[in-house]
Amino acid sequence: MLPSLQESLDGDEKELESSEEGGSAEERRLDPPPSSHYCLYSYRGSRLAQQRADSDDGSPGGTNAETPSGDDFSLSLVDTNLPSEVEPELRSFIAKRLSKGAVFEGLGNVAAVELRIPGYRVGCYYCLFQQEKPLPQTASMDSEQKSSEYVVCFLGGSEKGLELYPFFEHTFRLELDKYIQGLKNNMNCEESGGENHIQSYLSSWFADVVCPIQRVVHLFQEKLTFLLHAALSYTPVEVKGSDEKTKRDIHRFLSVASLQGLIHEGTMTSLCMAMTEEQHKSVIIDCSSSQPQFHNAGSNRFCEDWMQAFMNGAEGGNPFLFRQVLENFKLKAIQDTNNLKRFIRQAEMNHYALFKCYMFLKNCGSGDILLKIVKVEHEEMPEAKNVVAVLEEFMKEAPAQSF
């Protein structure tokens, strides 16, 4: 079942209540803030692991075999910001994963790792990648220890953050895979600034991948409803007077919040063209003052309600939660779109279903956008197109606040 707005709101409220009610200050300190660490290893693969990966016979004995000997296997620390007493635990965990031959170049994995310090489980993304140009940090290594393969680990979150672990695995893994590609590009760039630039890139993974949605919510507050409406309606957005980081965050939010990839690509293209032709204007976001200002922006009740879900999440402070609320927002929009399409198919033969379409559009809170989406999709279907035309006439006569 798709998560509803009320479930998102209830979940946020329960999280806040649990932190406000009951328990001593010492107990509340047991729930640490999200952390972010990285480790970079130089890897020399084992023949045993390679044989396992190549055989792929599915036998249980392959996954239970012992870790290869030092002659076959090498995992050397290149750089990390983890405490020195914790890093060997992580290295042992990664070595076991590598020895099983289930780690493939360029495709990251996500797992829950329990470390002795800080004493709670964290989410760990790890990825094997190849690099022709050796890292500056490995220049002092012996020639036998140098390798063209590396393993990078990103650790983030807390015990509470791992409640979203399946979501983290599904949503952020692909984005972190892209982040690793950026790391490779930086390593290959002669003008990248060398070791310091790579360290900065690695240490910024949490801020660059996980936190942009949170920063946008904090920046716009109640005005976030305008950004949600622009994303949902595929309206062009132009950002003025902001630094590059803020501009990237805003466009990242718009990209994630849009329905691209969830509905037919041709529909999205046609919808974008229709919105541009209809408005002849982009939404302008002026960030030159302390409070961002919107021009040519639209809103509806659906976006206003979901904005409140984001505001509730802002009080909790969990950056992973913002992304989950955003995904719930998209799923609910898709659910409403599919329901409207079903009603339209019924209305082609049933006048009562036409009334159901009208009432659904009037009450869903996003009738203005949903009607545009189905109008584009049914452009080549005469009967459905006639139903949409009738609905448009009804909606023009309805009060604007009903949308």
Side-chain angles (χ1 to χ4, degrees), residues 284-319:
I284 306 297
I285 305 176
D286 186 356
C287 298
S288 57
S289 60
S290 58
Q291 295 295 325
Q293 301 297 320
F294 281 78
H295 305 282
N296 308 323
S299 183
N300 58 29
R301 181 160 43 85
F302 181 82
C303 295
E304 291 169 1
D305 289 345
W306 278 95
M307 175 273 295
Q308 191 58 54
F310 281 100
M311 297 309 299
N312 289 350
E315 299 179 36
N318 186 342

Side-chain angles (χ1 to χ4, degrees), residues 216-225 291 307 311 314:
V216 169
V217 173
H218 288 160
L219 174 65
F220 292 117
Q221 301 290 316
E222 287 81 3
K223 294 178 182 179
L224 188 71
T225 182
Q291 295 295 325
M307 175 273 295
M311 297 309 299

Side-chain angles (χ1 to χ4, degrees), residues 43 67 295:
Y43 170 60
T67 302
H295 305 282

